[in-house]
Amino acid sequence: MADRAECPPASLPLRERMKIPRQHMPEQPAIERAANFSEVNLGYSEELALQEALRCLDCRKPLCMQNCPVGVKVQEFVDLIVAGDFLGAAAKIREDNVLPAITGRVCPQEDHCEGSCVLAKKGESLGIGYLERFVADYEQRMGVFHVPAVPPTGKKVAVVGSGPSGLTVAGDLVQRGHQVRVLEALHELGGVLAYGIPEFRLPRNIIKQQIDYLRATGIEFETNVIVGKTVTIDELMQEEGYDAVFIGTGAGAPLFMNIPGEQLNGVYSANEFLTRINLMKAYKFPEYDQPIVDIRGKDVAVIGGGNTALDAIRTALRLGARKAYVLYRRSEAEMPARAEEIRHARQEGIDFRLLTNPTEFLSNGEGWLSGVRCVRMQLGEPDASGRRRPVPINGSEFDLPLSVAVISVGTSANPVIQSTTPGLATDKRGYIQADPITQRTSCKGVFAGGDIVTGSATVILAMGAGRRAAKSIHEYLTTGEW
Amino acid sequence: MFRIVRVETLAPGIRRLQIEAPRIARKQKPGQFVIVRVYEEGERIPLTIEKSDPQRGTIDIVVQSVGKTTHLLNRLETGDAILDVVGPLGQPSEIEKFGTVVTIGGGVGTAMAYPTAAALKQAGNFVICIVGARDRERVILEREMRSVSDELMITTDDGSYGSKGLVTERLQEIIERGTHIDRVLAVGPILMMKAVADLTRARGIPTIVSLNPIMLDGTGMCGGCRVLVDGKSQFACVDGPEFDAHGVDFDTLLRRNAMYREAEKKSMDQCYQEMESHGR
């Protein structure tokens, strides 16, 4: 490696390795980043990556890999970093994960690889996500494309949706020689990566590069196709000659709270708010045509405690909100958002109002939002989710003045495909039923995975489903057995 | 890219664009619409599909210049292309033999009413069409509407063509002369649809309206196009665009459609300035 940095010898004794502290991820200062859309995390330098990689203890039974939904060979790629072979490390990750620059940024590693890292027992886990991001970005900078030459099988697969699960299925199947076409409903590729996750967590050029990489491997992409409307699953298989179809359309439909005032101007779903900003670039209005309500100097709240909620409120802050609140009905311990995102949000000045539940949106008398009525909550007995159930405290109602409210309380199944595909079994909530191992649906040749099967989850879990589906589709296409 | 193969002016500021969109042409049914994005920095807006030709793979959309995007669309010519066209969106109109149906098209809404009127006629209904416009020049699709009507009434605000007055006055006449109406479909400005709903509600005539809220993705993903129907939130893009007129909260729809008025004005002003500076 010509430009390889000087690094401590890989043979550094274990005792020495254990003395190295977890390398801090350089970040854009909170005060600066709260006013721009540039990425918060700046990425490891080669030196930091080498230092961090040396912390890996090379466990005999590495739980990190076992607990990775796509089975990234963590130890092997980290060893390649230690050896200074960054491109080799990237190629090693790509064997199991076709979107390393994306998962290196948005995967909740603390729930998977890092959460099971032996180092976490006595201190801080290995920074596996940071290292993954480092090698993926290095690979992009070098502009190296490994396009594996595989003999074509002559089989055609349609992938519905270009989000994390769809891209994974496509990436895995093309590597097995199948012809793959990805159909996307929106005008841009990436699904939730493109419309949902903001630029400051996942820059658009990173998504584009990762998709360009997949395109270079031979995957075809077609935008503006809403399967179920523009073409049905049956038509894809019977008229367009696809041998198998994978449905990875995401959870899609936003849930509202069904409280008074939700129709007021200034009340958004998180999906709409984020789509206007991320997909349509409303923050660049009037250079871009799609508008969003002017937030400068206004008070904004998001309702909900997940990553999407934090993405929305941190976006509002960057649009110039005066006050930016998170209203969440449970306590911080129950918040589904990643710890890192909560920390970043606090640093940026987001005001967390926990154990607070909105009961009504208030009007200014002219149809615009002027505030939200809330009730304070306390935690009672654990509910079905295992989290302590929030219970309203009588007489604790109060009003919070607001100009914009963003509802981020979850999603439900978008019914477009289910309602146009005869025989496709769904559960009582409308999600597509698929076998948890093979991802097969009730229709022959049709597979499904990701949020449209499980309900809203994470990028990496959708990718895990995509991996299993690709394996299973490959088996079906080669054996013909259903 | 979606190529424009034919352009036709229907009225001042209203044009028909024929676009190559083979997938949509194969699937389009009356009552459905498309969402377009004209160029990279453009917004997504819903537009009416007037008709489609599955053999040629084309759809005809009717565009009225209202804001920046529609103005720019109406400056495109044959051979130009639209960056993104997606559809067909929404639930198709309910088509069956109802008996006597009155189909009302107000302004550019006539283009949305026409394919449904045609399908209702074909299904064996007695179809009475009312076409309303501001003045003679702005009456669109008269020939098309006539071809699918058993009776056609044209009415203009200034009386320059047909009779003078509002579409609701014509509807009132039909009711008063004793014609039994089994169903009304009204497509047009929100206030027109509201007035039709008020008129038929009292008489218990089933009435359908096609709503045009602000939309973004058109796939049911964002909820921006939510409308209140019978007090419940419905998404016009996937649950509609047609709803039972008697349950629709038109006032809320009017208000929500005005949400970006300032931004729209700013966009439009800037667009005019650019056009002027380009000497057009």
Side-chain angles (χ1 to χ4, degrees), chain A residues 299-378:
Chain A
D299 296 348
V300 182
V302 70
I303 296 136
N307 286 315
T308 305
L310 294 193
D311 284 346
I313 199 65
R314 293 171 71 197
T315 296
L317 192 72
R318 284 159 173 78
L319 290 170
R322 188 179 63 166
K323 287 191 178 153
Y325 304 100
V326 170
L327 309 180
Y328 181 55
R329 64 194 182 123
R330 302 179 195 247
S331 74
E332 182 165 337
E334 289 83 24
M335 276 180 88
R338 292 187 69 188
E340 180 177 80
E341 303 307 323
I342 298 173
R343 179 171 60 80
H344 281 160
R346 277 197 203 285
Q347 287 170 350
E348 290 166 11
I350 303 292
D351 187 348
F352 284 78
R353 300 291 178 97
L354 305 173
L355 292 165
T356 299
N357 199 30
T359 55
E360 182 180 357
F361 293 107
L362 307 170
S363 167
N364 71 348
E366 292 168 8
W368 284 83
L369 181 73
S370 66
V372 62
R373 181 153 299 157
C374 300
V375 62
R376 293 192 204 285
M377 311 292 276
Q378 59 189 1

Side-chain angles (χ1 to χ4, degrees), chain B residues 151-181:
Chain B
E151 185 180 350
L152 175 70
M153 293 177 167
I154 293 176
T155 180
T156 51
D157 295 354
D158 65 355
S160 56
Y161 193 54
S163 53
K164 179 172 164 36
L166 303 173
V167 294
T168 38
E169 295 172 52
R170 303 288 85 75
L171 181 60
Q172 178 95 37
E173 280 170 25
I174 300 170
I175 294 167
E176 280 171 4
R177 77 186 183 200
T179 304
H180 176 80
I181 303 171

Side-chain angles (χ1 to χ4, degrees), chain B residues 113-127:
Chain B
Y114 162 66
T116 303
L120 287 168
K121 172 73 186 160
Q122 198 162 17
N125 292 284
F126 187 86
V127 177

